Amino acid sequence: MLKVQLTNFICNYNLENFGHEKTLIFSNSLGTNLSMWEDNIDVLSHQFNILRYDKRGHGESTIHQDKVSIAELGNDVIELLNYLKLDKVYFCGLSIGGLIGQWLGINHPSRFEKIVISNTAAKIGNEEGWGARVKQVTENGLGSILIPTAERWFSPDYRAKNPDKVQEILHHFKANSLQGYTACCYAVAAADFREQLYNLDVPLLIIAGIQDEVTTLADGKFIQKHTPIANLVTLDAAHLSNVEHPEEFAKHIIHFTEH
């Protein structure tokens, strides 16, 4: 792993150069680190150089704020690309990473060939719900929501068949900075792109999980309907669809970027 001092934090990142012309940057979901993409890399390494990073307050990246915005998190991506002298890349973000992808497509379309957003929505939840989440973890710690997090992130079948993988991801979740987690909760709570999607004219792929109760298939269809150039595919998964179906997830990205 490598680290770079960006404007507001020290960013932990990993750039794997497989000798391709195309580079794909991954943006993680809330409460995860860059390892969440590990099982997708093998398939994608035949087509892309892979750039992964930890957003502020996640994994090994630092944070110095109690609240951040999606715009700030999006600008972090641009700053990292500038530092690495990557002019135009492919982007894939899941959940909050999908919110970041929407912001980037609206505000920095020239930097992206195509954008993939997975298990996300133009608006995720409401401020009351996110406020309750922040209160819960502030008073009781991230460990207090491990069970509901597992239930949101993984389908019952996946949890039953892959207990070790579930526990590994929950371990990473609990190890995150509480400040980083709650700061990004505020970012999700405030984000609302429902009236801006018509400005997102970068070719867009939406991946939705049909068992995802956090960001539903209906949320994906809403984005598709209101975005100029969008395709929608589904996976039989809950919220972390890239983990439940890593190879199929990767193949959807490859198909989208080749056509």
Side-chain angles (χ1 to χ4, degrees):
M1 300 300 169
L2 300 168
K3 289 183 171 60
V4 58
Q5 175 70 61
L6 300 182
T7 300
N8 293 298
F9 74 114
I10 297 172
C11 180
N12 180 60
Y13 73 95
N14 185 33
L15 177 59
E16 295 168 277
N17 189 332
F18 296 106
H20 302 297
E21 291 184 4
K22 298 186 291 188
T23 296
L24 172 66
I25 179 171
F26 278 120
S27 187
N28 316 333
S29 62
L30 179 67
T32 65
N33 62 33
L34 54 76
S35 70
M36 71 170 280
W37 307 104
E38 198 65 43
D39 293 340
N40 307 118
I41 302 302
D42 183 55
V43 174
L44 291 167
S45 66
H46 299 287
Q47 302 285 334
F48 300 97
N49 307 318
I50 305 293
L51 173 59
R52 293 179 284 168
Y53 75 101
D54 289 329
K55 71 176 61 62
R56 302 187 201 190
H58 285 64
E60 296 183 29
S61 289
T62 62
I63 191 165
H64 307 290
Q65 302 155 265
D66 292 328
K67 293 184 179 181
V68 294
S69 67
I70 295 298
E72 288 174 300
L73 298 176
N75 279 317
D76 293 341
V77 173
I78 298 299
E79 192 173 358
L80 180 60
L81 294 178
N82 290 343
Y83 168 76
L84 295 171
K85 296 181 170 56
L86 293 169
D87 180 50
K88 201 163 187 176
V89 300
Y90 295 82
F91 177 95
C92 177
L94 191 149
S95 195
I96 186 176
L99 290 172
I100 293 169
Q102 291 170 70
W103 185 90
L104 289 169
I106 292 165
N107 292 279
H108 292 277
S110 65
R111 300 301 297 272
F112 301 94
E113 298 282 1
K114 293 184 176 182
I115 289 174
V116 179
I117 57 172
S118 177
N119 301 85
T120 194
K123 179 168 180 58
I124 302 176
N126 56 57
E127 295 202 16
E128 292 77 19
W130 286 108
R133 176 90 60 88
V134 168
K135 184 175 187 293
Q136 167 70 23
V137 298
T138 300
E139 293 177 353
N140 301 291
L142 292 175
S144 68
I145 61 169
L146 289 183
I147 292 174
T149 296
E151 292 172 346
R152 285 192 299 268
W153 282 4
F154 304 105
S155 66
D157 185 60
Y158 186 87
R159 294 200 306 273
K161 293 179 179 177
N162 301 275
D164 291 345
K165 186 68 176 182
V166 171
Q167 287 306 310
E168 176 191 339
I169 291 177
L170 292 178
H171 172 76
H172 292 313
F173 175 85
K174 189 177 179 181
N176 278 311
S177 152
L178 177 61
Q179 182 182 18
Y181 181 81
T182 56
C184 288
C185 284
Y186 287 117
V188 177
D192 187 350
F193 296 110
R194 289 175 292 185
E195 302 298 324
Q196 301 175 51
L197 288 174
Y198 69 93
N199 287 320
L200 202 170
D201 59 2
V202 179
L204 183 70
L205 174 66
I206 305 149
I207 301 176
I210 61 174
Q211 297 190 57
D212 189 350
E213 297 179 359
V214 180
T215 51
T216 64
L217 176 56
D219 289 320
K221 288 180 176 179
F222 180 92
I223 297 174
Q224 182 188 29
K225 181 179 178 180
H226 292 88
T227 309
I229 318 167
N231 299 296
L232 172 68
V233 296
T234 61
L235 293 172
D236 186 10
H239 196 53
L240 294 193
S241 64
N242 76 299
V243 177
E244 289 205 37
H245 298 288
E247 187 170 333
E248 193 176 353
F249 187 96
K251 287 180 177 178
H252 279 308
I253 294 175
I254 291 170
H255 180 78
F256 171 62
T257 56
E258 287 182 338
H259 295 83

